[in-house]
Amino acid sequence: MNSWKGFKSLRFLDPHWMAVIILTCSALLYHAPHLLKKQVYYSGDIIHQHFPNLIFARQSLSEGKIPLWNPYQFSGFPFLADPGSQMLYPPAWILLLIEPQRVLMGYIILHYILAGIFMYSLLCHLGINRWPAIAASIAFMFSGFLLLNTSDWPPFCTYAWIPLVMLMASRSAKRPTLKSGCAFGLSLAIQLLSGNAQLWLGTLYFSAIFWVVQWIYHRRTSCKESLYQLAQVAIGIMVGLSITAVQVIPSWELAQQSIRREGLSYDISSLYSLAPVRLFSILIPQLWEPATWPEVVKVGDGRLGYIGVSAVTLAVLAIILLPHKKEVHFFAISAIGFIALSVGRYGFLYLLVYKFLPGFHLFRAPVRYLSFFVFCACILVGFALEFLEKPNWPKVYMQRLTVGALALLLIMTLGPFAAGQPYKWGSIRLPILWWGLLMVLLVAKYLQFLSTRGFGLLVLVLIFVELFVFGSQAHLPVASADILRFEPLQPIAEYLKKEADYFRVYWPNNLRVEDKGVAYEAWALSTMIYGISNVEGYNQLKLYNYDLFWRTLPFTRALELLNVKYAILSSPLDALATEQMVFSDNGLFVYKLSTHLPRAYVVAHWSHSSISEMLSILSNASFDPAKEVLLEAIPTNLNSASGLDFEGKVQFLSYEPESLEFLVSLSQPGILVVNEPFYPGWKCKVDGQETQILRANVIFRAVALKKGIHRVQMFFSPGSVKLGSAVSLLGIIGALVLLLIPSHQGDCLIS
C-alpha cells in the first residue's frame, strides 16, 4: 500500500504532466491511421523543396562540411542563408541526424505536440484550469492552419511557437528583468529559426503589443524605475535574439540580392487575400471544394481558420459571458483585427499595415494571419470553459449563452444562401451536429447532470472528434515512405551522371511522374538528390539578376550561356523541337542540346557594359559569347587582347560546392569566364594572390589573367556568415550568463 502511495506521488502524475501525456497521445491518435500504415505526407513543398534540401544537407554534413552553397538549383544558390532550409532550427536536426524517410512523420507530429504543450502552458499562466486549458490546446494543435500547412514546413513550424512567445512576453511583462527579457528573446529566436519570417514578424508585433498591455496593467513602479525595467527587458530581448545572427545576417544579405530586395508591390503583397464570403469556411469547411491554384490566389482558403464549430461557439460565448474580463477584451479585439488583416485587399487594414508597419511590404498571403485568429479564438475557448465549469450559473448568463448560440446557428443555417451556395445545404449537417452536441453538454451542465470534470472531459472529446473528422475529410495526400526515394527519376539520373563533363540541365517545375500508382510533380530541386546541377529552382528569394536574366534573354540563348547540355521534359517544347531526344523513361524525355558553353572557358576580348546593356547585347543572335565577354567593371592593368593566335585552355583540378580550382594557360592576356552565379562572399586567388572577381554576362563570374599558366582558386567564404557566427556565439554566452546566474544578480547587471 505504501509503495502505491509512493507511485502516485511521482512527478509524472502531476496534473501538468498528465496534460502533456494527454496532448501527446492526442497527436499520436490523430495521426494513427497513417502511422499504422507507415505512410507519410508527401505533397506540396515536402517533395518539391524540403526533402531535397534535407538530402543535400545530410550529404554535406556527412562529409564534414557545413552547407553554405548549393550548386544544384538556379545554377548555384546560397543554402545556409535561405531560412527555408531550417539548417539552424534545432528540431530539424533530427532530420539531419536520422534518415528523413524514417522520422519525417515524427518531425510533423512533434510540432503538433509542441503547439499543444505551449498553448497549454500559456493558458495555465493566464489562470485557466487544467481541463479547459487542455480542450483549448486541442483546438489550437489540430486547427485547419496547422493541418493544411503540413506540407509547407516554415509556416507549419513557426505557428507552433506562437503560444510560447506570448507566454514569455507575459512573464516578462509581469516581472520585467534581464532574465525574463532574455527568455522572451530566446523564444522569438527559435521561432525565427523555424523559417517563416512573415508569421514571425506578426508574432513580434503581436507579442510586443501584448507585452505593453500586460506591463501597463501590472505596473507598480515609479516612472524612473519603469524606464529601468524597460531597459533591462530590451537588453535581454536583444541578447536572446542575437543568437540568430548566424542566420539573420546571411539571410538579409540574400534578401538584398533577391527578387524581394525592394519589397513587393501592394498588388503582389495582397495576393492570397481571403475573400470575405469565404469566412463562412471557419464554420462550414465543406461549403466550397478546396480551391484550385489560380482560384486560391484570388480568394484564399478560409479553412485555415477552422478550429471547429464547438470551439468557435465557445469563443463567442466567452465574449458574451465575460464582458468585463480584460484578457477577453484583448484577445477578442485581436481576433477581429486578424480577420480584418486576413481579408487583405478586400479590406482597408492590410493596406495600412503594408504602408506604415516595417516589414509587411516584404510578404504576401494575408490569409496566413488567420493563424493568429486561431490563436486568439483558442484563448477565448479556454476562458469560456473556465467560466462554464462553475456550478450554478446565474439565469442571466444562461440567457446570454442561449442568445449567442442561437445566433451562431442562424449564421450557419443561412450561410450557404449568403455565400451563394444554396445547393450546398448538406454541408451544414455536420456543423449543426457539433453545435447540437455542445448545446446538450451545456444544458446537462446547467442542470447539474454532469460534474465539472465530466463536462470538461466531454467537451475535450467533442472538440477532438470534430477536428479529427475535419482532418480526415481534408484528404491530405499520403503515401508509403518509399515514395521519398524518387525511384521513377533514378534511370534518368543514372543516364545523366554517366556524362564526365561539367554541365547543367534544364529540369522545370512541372514534370509529372507516377510511382506505384501515386502521381506527383518532380520539381527542379529533385536533381539535388542526385547531385545534378539545374538552372531551375524553387525559392521565394530567387536572385534578382538571375530572374532578370531568364525573363529578358531568349530561352535558347539563356540555356546556352548557362551551360545547359540536357533538357528533361514531360511534354514537347516548341523552343527545343529541333533538339535530339537521347533517352526516355517513366514519361520523361531527355533532349541533348546542340550548343552550350563550357562551365569555365577563356576569351581574349571583353567590353565594359552596364547590366541593361549586357542584356541587350546578349539577346542579339550575332553576339558570340564564346569569343567575347561583357564585364560590369573594367579590369585593372589588362587590355583586351588582339585575339590573333590566341590560345587558352582551362583544366578543372577540383570542383566542390564551395570551392573550385582550375589550371588556366593563356598565350595572351585574357578573361577566365566561370559560368557560376556572381554572389557576395565568393573570393578568388590566382597563384596564391587574392584577385577581384568581376561580374560577367549579367550573372556570371570572371577573372582577368595575364599571359602564362595560372592556378585559379575560387572559394565561398561569406563575411556575413563569419560576422553572424561571431555575434551568435556572443549571444549564446550572454544568454547562458543571464539565464544561469541567480535572479537577483541578473537583475543588477546594468545597475
mmCIF file of all heavy atoms in Angstrom, residues 554-573:
data_model
loop_
_atom_site.group_PDB
_atom_site.id
_atom_site.type_symbol
_atom_site.label_atom_id
_atom_site.label_comp_id
_atom_site.label_asym_id
_atom_site.label_seq_id
_atom_site.Cartn_x
_atom_site.Cartn_y
_atom_site.Cartn_z
ATOM 1 N N PRO A 554 16.353 35.522 -74.790
ATOM 2 C CA PRO A 554 15.660 34.416 -75.467
ATOM 3 C C PRO A 554 15.966 33.095 -74.763
ATOM 4 O O PRO A 554 17.082 32.887 -74.274
ATOM 5 C CB PRO A 554 16.245 34.459 -76.888
ATOM 6 C CG PRO A 554 16.729 35.866 -77.058
ATOM 7 C CD PRO A 554 17.198 36.300 -75.701
ATOM 8 N N PHE A 555 14.997 32.220 -74.724
ATOM 9 C CA PHE A 555 15.102 30.984 -73.951
ATOM 10 C C PHE A 555 16.340 30.177 -74.333
ATOM 11 O O PHE A 555 17.120 29.753 -73.472
ATOM 12 C CB PHE A 555 13.825 30.167 -74.154
ATOM 13 C CG PHE A 555 13.802 28.853 -73.453
ATOM 14 C CD1 PHE A 555 13.774 28.784 -72.069
ATOM 15 C CD2 PHE A 555 13.808 27.665 -74.173
ATOM 16 C CE1 PHE A 555 13.749 27.554 -71.411
ATOM 17 C CE2 PHE A 555 13.780 26.440 -73.528
ATOM 18 C CZ PHE A 555 13.754 26.388 -72.153
ATOM 19 N N THR A 556 16.540 29.965 -75.625
ATOM 20 C CA THR A 556 17.670 29.122 -76.044
ATOM 21 C C THR A 556 19.012 29.787 -75.763
ATOM 22 O O THR A 556 19.999 29.111 -75.466
ATOM 23 C CB THR A 556 17.556 28.786 -77.541
ATOM 24 O OG1 THR A 556 17.373 30.002 -78.289
ATOM 25 C CG2 THR A 556 16.365 27.864 -77.792
ATOM 26 N N ARG A 557 19.076 31.134 -75.846
ATOM 27 C CA ARG A 557 20.324 31.829 -75.531
ATOM 28 C C ARG A 557 20.637 31.688 -74.036
ATOM 29 O O ARG A 557 21.795 31.489 -73.648
ATOM 30 C CB ARG A 557 20.223 33.294 -75.931
ATOM 31 C CG ARG A 557 21.373 34.210 -75.452
ATOM 32 C CD ARG A 557 22.764 33.677 -75.799
ATOM 33 N NE ARG A 557 23.062 33.633 -77.200
ATOM 34 C CZ ARG A 557 23.705 34.579 -77.880
ATOM 35 N NH1 ARG A 557 24.116 35.669 -77.258
ATOM 36 N NH2 ARG A 557 23.963 34.437 -79.158
ATOM 37 N N ALA A 558 19.616 31.785 -73.203
ATOM 38 C CA ALA A 558 19.819 31.618 -71.760
ATOM 39 C C ALA A 558 20.351 30.222 -71.459
ATOM 40 O O ALA A 558 21.295 30.063 -70.667
ATOM 41 C CB ALA A 558 18.519 31.869 -71.009
ATOM 42 N N LEU A 559 19.785 29.200 -72.095
ATOM 43 C CA LEU A 559 20.259 27.833 -71.876
ATOM 44 C C LEU A 559 21.708 27.685 -72.316
ATOM 45 O O LEU A 559 22.516 27.031 -71.642
ATOM 46 C CB LEU A 559 19.374 26.840 -72.635
ATOM 47 C CG LEU A 559 17.912 26.720 -72.201
ATOM 48 C CD1 LEU A 559 17.218 25.640 -73.019
ATOM 49 C CD2 LEU A 559 17.792 26.410 -70.715
ATOM 50 N N GLU A 560 22.048 28.286 -73.449
ATOM 51 C CA GLU A 560 23.423 28.199 -73.955
ATOM 52 C C GLU A 560 24.406 28.804 -72.965
ATOM 53 O O GLU A 560 25.433 28.198 -72.640
ATOM 54 C CB GLU A 560 23.507 28.931 -75.300
ATOM 55 C CG GLU A 560 24.914 28.974 -75.880
ATOM 56 C CD GLU A 560 25.018 29.891 -77.079
ATOM 57 O OE1 GLU A 560 24.034 30.606 -77.374
ATOM 58 O OE2 GLU A 560 26.092 29.918 -77.714
ATOM 59 N N LEU A 561 24.113 29.998 -72.480
ATOM 60 C CA LEU A 561 25.009 30.680 -71.550
ATOM 61 C C LEU A 561 25.119 29.955 -70.220
ATOM 62 O O LEU A 561 26.158 30.000 -69.553
ATOM 63 C CB LEU A 561 24.530 32.111 -71.323
ATOM 64 C CG LEU A 561 24.686 33.083 -72.506
ATOM 65 C CD1 LEU A 561 23.889 34.350 -72.263
ATOM 66 C CD2 LEU A 561 26.160 33.411 -72.733
ATOM 67 N N LEU A 562 24.054 29.290 -69.821
ATOM 68 C CA LEU A 562 24.001 28.650 -68.507
ATOM 69 C C LEU A 562 24.608 27.249 -68.500
ATOM 70 O O LEU A 562 24.458 26.525 -67.510
ATOM 71 C CB LEU A 562 22.554 28.578 -68.011
ATOM 72 C CG LEU A 562 21.965 29.912 -67.534
ATOM 73 C CD1 LEU A 562 20.453 29.815 -67.388
ATOM 74 C CD2 LEU A 562 22.583 30.317 -66.204
ATOM 75 N N ASN A 563 25.285 26.862 -69.609
ATOM 76 C CA ASN A 563 25.982 25.574 -69.609
ATOM 77 C C ASN A 563 25.005 24.396 -69.572
ATOM 78 O O ASN A 563 25.269 23.345 -69.006
ATOM 79 C CB ASN A 563 26.955 25.532 -68.423
ATOM 80 C CG ASN A 563 27.717 24.238 -68.276
ATOM 81 O OD1 ASN A 563 27.749 23.662 -67.179
ATOM 82 N ND2 ASN A 563 28.323 23.767 -69.328
ATOM 83 N N VAL A 564 23.823 24.573 -70.197
ATOM 84 C CA VAL A 564 22.809 23.510 -70.215
ATOM 85 C C VAL A 564 23.084 22.570 -71.385
ATOM 86 O O VAL A 564 23.056 22.984 -72.547
ATOM 87 C CB VAL A 564 21.387 24.092 -70.326
ATOM 88 C CG1 VAL A 564 20.365 22.965 -70.497
ATOM 89 C CG2 VAL A 564 21.069 24.918 -69.101
ATOM 90 N N LYS A 565 23.327 21.320 -71.053
ATOM 91 C CA LYS A 565 23.605 20.311 -72.080
ATOM 92 C C LYS A 565 22.405 19.411 -72.336
ATOM 93 O O LYS A 565 22.249 18.883 -73.442
ATOM 94 C CB LYS A 565 24.812 19.470 -71.655
ATOM 95 C CG LYS A 565 25.368 18.577 -72.758
ATOM 96 C CD LYS A 565 26.683 17.946 -72.331
ATOM 97 C CE LYS A 565 27.306 17.158 -73.472
ATOM 98 N NZ LYS A 565 28.629 16.589 -73.085
ATOM 99 N N TYR A 566 21.548 19.259 -71.304
ATOM 100 C CA TYR A 566 20.377 18.388 -71.447
ATOM 101 C C TYR A 566 19.132 19.100 -70.926
ATOM 102 O O TYR A 566 19.208 19.858 -69.929
ATOM 103 C CB TYR A 566 20.564 17.088 -70.670
ATOM 104 C CG TYR A 566 21.671 16.210 -71.190
ATOM 105 C CD1 TYR A 566 22.941 16.233 -70.603
ATOM 106 C CD2 TYR A 566 21.464 15.355 -72.270
ATOM 107 C CE1 TYR A 566 23.971 15.435 -71.072
ATOM 108 C CE2 TYR A 566 22.496 14.548 -72.752
ATOM 109 C CZ TYR A 566 23.734 14.598 -72.143
ATOM 110 O OH TYR A 566 24.752 13.805 -72.626
ATOM 111 N N ALA A 567 18.016 18.848 -71.560
ATOM 112 C CA ALA A 567 16.718 19.329 -71.089
ATOM 113 C C ALA A 567 15.838 18.119 -70.827
ATOM 114 O O ALA A 567 15.761 17.207 -71.657
ATOM 115 C CB ALA A 567 16.074 20.248 -72.121
ATOM 116 N N ILE A 568 15.201 18.082 -69.685
ATOM 117 C CA ILE A 568 14.321 16.974 -69.315
ATOM 118 C C ILE A 568 12.899 17.501 -69.345
ATOM 119 O O ILE A 568 12.548 18.451 -68.638
ATOM 120 C CB ILE A 568 14.668 16.411 -67.922
ATOM 121 C CG1 ILE A 568 16.059 15.769 -67.950
ATOM 122 C CG2 ILE A 568 13.655 15.354 -67.512
ATOM 123 C CD1 ILE A 568 17.194 16.719 -67.753
ATOM 124 N N LEU A 569 12.069 16.898 -70.159
ATOM 125 C CA LEU A 569 10.710 17.377 -70.377
ATOM 126 C C LEU A 569 9.723 16.226 -70.273
ATOM 127 O O LEU A 569 10.077 15.054 -70.485
ATOM 128 C CB LEU A 569 10.578 18.025 -71.754
ATOM 129 C CG LEU A 569 11.575 19.144 -72.095
ATOM 130 C CD1 LEU A 569 11.440 19.542 -73.552
ATOM 131 C CD2 LEU A 569 11.354 20.338 -71.187
ATOM 132 N N SER A 570 8.472 16.561 -69.958
ATOM 133 C CA SER A 570 7.414 15.558 -69.965
ATOM 134 C C SER A 570 6.435 15.800 -71.096
ATOM 135 O O SER A 570 5.514 15.012 -71.306
ATOM 136 C CB SER A 570 6.665 15.561 -68.623
ATOM 137 O OG SER A 570 6.154 16.848 -68.336
ATOM 138 N N SER A 571 6.614 16.905 -71.824
ATOM 139 C CA SER A 571 5.786 17.214 -72.990
ATOM 140 C C SER A 571 6.624 18.040 -73.950
ATOM 141 O O SER A 571 7.589 18.706 -73.537
ATOM 142 C CB SER A 571 4.521 17.968 -72.579
ATOM 143 O OG SER A 571 4.845 19.163 -71.906
ATOM 144 N N PRO A 572 6.292 18.036 -75.232
ATOM 145 C CA PRO A 572 7.100 18.768 -76.223
ATOM 146 C C PRO A 572 7.180 20.256 -75.914
ATOM 147 O O PRO A 572 6.251 20.853 -75.374
ATOM 148 C CB PRO A 572 6.350 18.509 -77.540
ATOM 149 C CG PRO A 572 5.551 17.279 -77.298
ATOM 150 C CD PRO A 572 5.176 17.302 -75.845
ATOM 151 N N LEU A 573 8.310 20.852 -76.252
ATOM 152 C CA LEU A 573 8.530 22.278 -76.068
ATOM 153 C C LEU A 573 8.980 22.840 -77.408
ATOM 154 O O LEU A 573 9.991 22.401 -77.959
ATOM 155 C CB LEU A 573 9.591 22.508 -74.987
ATOM 156 C CG LEU A 573 9.756 23.930 -74.453
ATOM 157 C CD1 LEU A 573 8.485 24.402 -73.768
ATOM 158 C CD2 LEU A 573 10.921 23.989 -73.470
#
